[in-house]
Amino acid sequence: MNDGNFTNTTPQPARPIPADAHLRSVPGNVTWGLIPANAPPVLRITSGQTVRIDTVSQQGITAGIDPVEFFGAAGIDPDRVLDDVKQIYRNVKREPGAGGHVLTGPIYIDGAHPGDMLEVRVLDIEFRIDYGVNNSGPGMGAAPELLTEVARNIIRLDLARGVAKFSPRIELPLAPFMGIMAVAPPPAQAPANTRPPGAFGGNMDLKTLTRGSTLYLPVFNDGAQFFTGDGHGLQGDGEINGTAIEISLTPTLQFIVHPGAGRAMNWPRAEDRDNHYVMGMDTDLDEAARLAIRESVAFLQAHAGLSAADAYALTSLAVDFRIGEAVNHVKMVYGVIPKRLLLQ
């Protein structure tokens, strides 16, 4: 685990944080809708190295029309549509039944093997554009019966002030994070659709994974084979209408392999300066909550030296449980464990 000294702030650094490599989101470096296992790596690194990773939002690509036309209908000039988006729309094939997300990867981390744990430190997240998309409509989200027509919002951002202009009266503070960070799934589950999350990570939509946070993933294949995409400018817990502010982002991530540490992991785990985050996932929300509770109890037993009964009690008294993901078939509930509990 990291030492908790990272800070979590919305304003971007004046300059990008130096990285050992820069991976572009061009055709050949991306996959559309599927997370494969043992695909040829687009980049190889060693444990401890950092990578600046360009990603593109699927919004504007999955609408069935050219992204220049899609964004042009909202007044976005063609030269403000990323070239990566235009190239992917024209040159990358989406398999029938695949999810909608465009992911950059896989990044192969030398020395990672099944049973290890991959630590992913979020050092920085840069905006590539100053507008994002929130889409919904009939059959979408956690209340699929609510809308009878497609609702598409192109939301402008004021990056200098760190806000999204939801309406003339409502501004929302930006808190960018990657909706999908994943290792390759177990070979028997590959290729995995990008829509539901799983033990390998994926579409967790965990809004706490902003700058300064750390994600821990169990490794199922040699090299771990990391993917990321589905950038979000901000999101409420649950992503209840089916989308956040969907936007193209460039995270800078550091990758650290912990040999053997993934064998005891049932689900991904995360942390930031103030909290540890444990997760549970299931198609049934109640079961996802039960699994997250069990993860909290096990974590407090291991890291606070408590009995099962005391860890269960402390979980009831001091751990908040939130719906991180409510809309992508597999639900994700996460527990927020304050770090101060472990220091007393």
Side-chain angles (χ1 to χ4, degrees):
M1 296 182 183
N2 72 45
D3 59 9
N5 289 330
F6 293 138
T7 57
N8 182 5
T9 57
T10 297
Q12 298 190 85
R15 299 177 182 175
I17 291 176
D20 295 299
H22 181 194
L23 181 60
R24 297 183 59 207
S25 53
V26 295
N29 289 353
V30 301
T31 178
W32 190 351
L34 297 172
I35 307 175
N38 300 311
V42 299
L43 178 69
R44 297 183 75 112
I45 61 172
T46 59
S47 180
Q49 288 193 302
T50 60
V51 186
R52 190 165 171 258
I53 308 169
D54 289 343
T55 69
V56 300
S57 172
Q58 68 276 9
Q59 297 297 332
I61 299 178
T62 57
I65 59 175
D66 189 283
V68 171
E69 181 181 349
F70 176 90
F71 289 111
I76 305 297
D77 293 337
D79 60 0
R80 295 177 62 207
V81 179
L82 292 172
D83 286 339
D84 296 3
V85 170
K86 299 172 186 175
Q87 292 179 33
I88 290 168
Y89 176 78
R90 295 165 185 161
N91 300 311
V92 178
K93 182 180 179 182
R94 180 186 179 192
E95 297 294 335
H101 308 93
V102 176
L103 306 183
T104 306
I107 298 172
Y108 192 102
I109 300 95
D110 287 327
H113 301 290
D116 293 346
M117 179 177 73
L118 182 65
E119 176 181 347
V120 185
R121 295 187 175 186
V122 183
L123 305 183
D124 192 17
I125 301 179
E126 305 165 61
F127 288 93
R128 302 186 69 191
I129 51 179
D130 61 358
Y131 56 89
V133 181
N134 180 263
N135 274 351
S136 194
M140 291 186 64
E145 76 292 346
L146 188 64
L147 299 182
T148 58
E149 296 180 353
V150 172
R152 180 176 295 155
N153 294 314
I154 306 297
I155 300 173
R156 268 67 170 185
L157 313 184
D158 184 334
L159 297 179
R161 296 173 53 233
V163 296
K165 299 178 179 179
F166 180 78
S167 74
R169 295 188 304 104
I170 299 174
E171 293 185 344
L172 303 171
L174 294 171
F177 71 98
M178 303 311 301
I180 295 179
M181 290 196 281
V183 295
Q189 300 176 22
N193 190 292
T194 59
R195 187 182 177 194
F200 53 88
N203 193 25
M204 298 176 291
D205 291 328
L206 180 59
K207 73 173 190 176
T208 65
L209 291 175
T210 53
R211 185 183 301 114
S213 65
T214 300
L215 174 66
Y216 301 94
L217 296 166
V219 173
F220 300 100
N221 299 273
D222 285 341
Q225 304 168 32
F226 181 84
F227 298 82
T228 190
D230 189 31
H232 292 171
L234 66 89
Q235 178 206 294
D237 276 324
E239 198 190 35
I240 60 93
N241 85 338
T243 56
I245 292 185
E246 309 288 332
I247 195 167
S248 300
L249 300 174
T250 296
T252 298
L253 308 176
Q254 183 181 24
F255 300 91
I256 300 170
V257 176
H258 297 270
R263 294 192 183 98
M265 296 183 70
N266 299 308
W267 305 105
R269 196 170 68 245
E271 68 172 302
D272 56 22
R273 181 185 59 191
D274 298 320
N275 302 299
H276 295 284
Y277 302 98
V278 293
M279 307 179 209
M281 302 183 196
D282 195 84
T283 55
D284 180 85
L285 189 59
D286 287 343
E287 180 63 11
R290 188 187 71 83
L291 292 170
I293 291 165
R294 292 183 65 89
E295 290 293 303
S296 177
V297 170
F299 186 91
L300 289 171
Q301 285 184 270
H303 296 279
L306 300 177
S307 67
D310 284 345
Y312 197 19
L314 187 57
T315 292
S316 184
L317 298 175
V319 179
D320 291 325
F321 289 86
R322 301 170 182 168
I323 301 172
E325 172 59 82
V327 293
N328 288 314
H329 185 60
V330 172
K331 311 320 191 272
M332 188 274 281
V333 172
Y334 69 101
V336 183
I337 304 175
K339 286 187 173 181
R340 59 178 172 77
L341 298 179
L342 308 182
L343 301 177
Q344 298 177 14

